[in-house]
Amino acid sequence: MEDHRILARIIKDYPDALLDRKKLQALFSDFYPQDRLKRNILLMVFDDGIVDEMQNTATLDRLALHRYVKSVSQGYGIQTGSAEDAVLTWARAMGLQLDTDAADEEEDEVSESEIEWVESESSSAYEYEETPRGVKLLRFIDFDDTVVTIPNMVDGKRVTEVGNHAFKGCVGIEKIVVSEGIEVLGNGVFINCKELKEVVLPRTLKRIGTTDPTGCPKILGTMTKLEGTFEYTALEEVVIPDSVKYIGEYAFSGCNRLRRVVLPDGLKEIKQYAFCWCKSLQEVVFPQDLRVVGMEAFEGCESLKNVVLPEGVSSIEQGAFAGCRSMESIYIPDSVNEIGGGKGNGFLQTFGQPDDRHMDFTILCNAGSYAMSYARKQQIKCAKAQI
């Protein structure tokens, strides 16, 4: 049974447990006997007062989710993905309407009648499993060609997902074409495909990376690092279709040749470490719906010179642009009300240490804005925006 259904059963059958932590903890031990980590993180959400707050609302939107996840992950020192899973488990168990999922549930921009379903040339090229949504490709087991087209059909069954690490270490592939009809690329799908220079993404794609930690390495004890879908590849330019509403942690981390990225309209959050150490990155086209630039999202992007964040961004997290040594200016709109976790003086400052910044680094903003007060506090040069 899915976690949120188990939790919903607990809430229904033992409503007083939400008023008695010891009873709730005992019930978790009974219903989740084999997963101590899951029990603990669900209790963290409860202890943080988030469950009480959820009881007074009917909807969980993206900004509320981000606030809850950040509170749990930073307050208890756990991974963002684990905190998000726990928050969403509580929300679904309590019957909240999830606006965070609305984008994923929209009808595809490409209708099925427009998709050409083409059988894989070699049915033995992939290991796969069937899921309720379609076929999930688990592993590419053929020899590398310089150009590989990921099929949307194998053995007469439609492919909707490419699973974690499916092409990991295929160093001979230089170009990947992902067929229309595929909706999800998992974690580390192309990690260490060191010669992968070009990728063509379909208009049906919804997610790049997931919260599924299967096969990803554990670090710091029980913590899991969700490996990036295109981590350590040789991509030079990426245009992500507007159908994509989720780009996961480390998605393009360490892509040293990546120069230009066009992010999709409708993307609300750039997850932590998504583009860290992309040393050649010069241009990022940000979506108008963006709300959050995650922790260390662009850390170490040494070639990034000028950044213009769109109106509507509310949070720039700790270390988001640390190590961007060539950055001359960043425009921060009036909508931003949090920089560096609201403190701006964490272990890794949002724009790096003073000695690690461009000598003329300037925050462009409007008078009286949060960005202006932040710049003064941090002794960073600020100037009137001409946007």
Side-chain angles (χ1 to χ4, degrees):
M1 186 181 294
E2 293 179 273
D3 292 337
H4 72 275
R5 297 187 188 280
I6 296 174
L7 185 53
R9 179 181 170 186
I10 293 174
I11 294 171
K12 179 181 178 181
D13 294 347
Y14 307 94
D16 57 330
L18 296 185
L19 303 174
D20 186 340
R21 186 189 187 280
K22 289 185 178 179
K23 184 170 184 177
L24 183 63
Q25 185 175 16
L27 288 167
F28 280 175
S29 296
D30 290 339
F31 282 87
Y32 302 103
Q34 304 299 323
D35 201 330
R36 181 179 179 182
L37 179 61
K38 181 179 298 178
R39 299 197 305 265
N40 288 343
I41 298 177
L42 287 173
L43 281 171
M44 290 173 190
V45 177
F46 179 83
D47 291 340
D48 210 46
I50 293 170
V51 175
D52 284 341
E53 191 168 332
M54 285 181 177
Q55 288 180 304
N56 297 315
T57 184
T59 302
L60 177 65
D61 60 27
R62 170 55 63 182
L63 292 181
L65 175 63
H66 171 72
R67 178 164 57 87
Y68 294 155
V69 170
K70 186 174 181 180
S71 178
V72 174
S73 62
Q74 293 188 358
Y76 295 91
I78 65 171
Q79 188 150 359
T80 301
S82 299
E84 182 172 333
D85 283 346
V87 171
L88 288 173
T89 296
W90 272 106
R92 291 188 174 109
M94 298 172 72
L96 270 62
Q97 180 180 343
L98 303 180
D99 283 354
T100 59
D101 290 344
D104 287 344
E105 294 172 356
E106 292 176 356
E107 291 186 3
D108 293 340
E109 295 181 12
V110 182
S111 65
E112 288 196 4
S113 62
E114 296 179 78
I115 300 173
E116 182 181 2
W117 300 95
V118 180
E119 181 72 40
S120 171
E121 293 183 1
S122 173
S123 60
S124 61
Y126 297 92
E127 295 177 358
Y128 67 86
E129 67 179 9
E130 294 185 54
T131 74
R133 293 181 59 85
V135 165
K136 178 179 180 179
L137 301 181
L138 301 177
R139 198 78 58 228
F140 177 67
I141 53 176
D142 205 352
F143 291 102
D144 295 357
D145 287 328
T146 55
V147 179
V148 172
T149 297
I150 301 178
N152 57 20
M153 183 172 285
V154 293
D155 292 338
K157 306 175 183 69
R158 292 181 178 181
V159 177
T160 57
E161 181 175 354
V162 184
N164 295 354
H165 306 115
F167 287 82
K168 182 177 180 179
C170 291
V171 296
I173 299 176
E174 298 180 8
K175 178 179 178 179
I176 286 282
V177 178
V178 184
S179 295
E180 295 289 349
I182 293 176
E183 300 177 356
V184 178
L185 297 177
N187 302 311
V189 172
F190 306 107
I191 190 170
N192 292 330
C193 294
K194 297 179 180 179
E195 296 302 318
L196 180 59
K197 301 179 179 67
E198 182 181 356
V199 63
V200 179
L201 300 174
R203 292 174 294 163
T204 54
L205 191 64
K206 295 180 179 179
R207 298 173 69 89
I208 297 175
T210 71
T211 57
D212 173 19
T214 304
C216 292
K218 288 188 176 180
I219 57 176
L220 300 178
T222 59
M223 296 297 100
T224 299
K225 174 187 177 294
L226 299 179
E227 292 181 317
T229 302
F230 294 96
E231 195 171 359
Y232 302 125
T233 60
L235 292 176
E236 298 175 355
E237 180 174 350
V238 176
V239 177
I240 301 173
D242 289 344
S243 56
V244 174
K245 308 302 180 186
Y246 178 93
I247 299 174
E249 300 173 17
Y250 295 96
F252 297 90
S253 174
C255 294
N256 287 330
R257 301 184 194 178
L258 187 61
R259 297 191 302 271
R260 181 173 185 265
V261 173
V262 178
L263 294 172
D265 287 342
L267 183 71
K268 295 184 178 180
E269 180 176 0
I270 300 173
K271 290 286 189 180
Q272 59 186 14
Y273 317 113
F275 295 94
C276 66
W277 301 107
C278 293
K279 295 185 177 182
S280 300
L281 186 61
Q282 298 175 15
E283 181 184 1
V284 181
V285 179
F286 292 96
Q288 292 303 308
D289 287 337
L290 186 65
R291 296 294 179 266
V292 178
V293 181
M295 186 172 66
E296 300 176 52
F298 294 95
E299 181 192 2
C301 293
E302 298 178 352
S303 300
L304 201 57
K305 291 186 177 181
N306 299 289
V307 170
V308 177
L309 295 178
E311 301 293 337
V313 172
S314 61
S315 176
I316 307 170
E317 294 188 347
Q318 180 177 311
F321 295 97
C324 296
R325 299 177 180 178
S326 299
M327 185 180 289
E328 298 173 2
S329 68
I330 180 170
Y331 169 66
I332 301 179
D334 291 353
S335 55
V336 170
N337 55 35
E338 180 181 77
I339 299 177
K343 299 177 182 178
N345 58 357
F347 174 75
L348 188 62
Q349 291 193 20
T350 304
F351 302 102
Q353 300 299 326
D355 293 342
D356 204 30
R357 301 174 191 149
H358 189 281
M359 60 182 298
D360 293 323
F361 175 63
T362 303
I363 290 177
L364 303 177
C365 57
N366 294 315
S369 65
Y370 177 89
M372 184 177 187
S373 63
Y374 171 86
R376 293 280 168 80
K377 181 178 180 181
Q378 298 298 317
Q379 300 182 46
I380 298 174
K381 179 181 177 182
C382 64
K384 183 177 180 180
Q386 302 296 323
I387 303 299

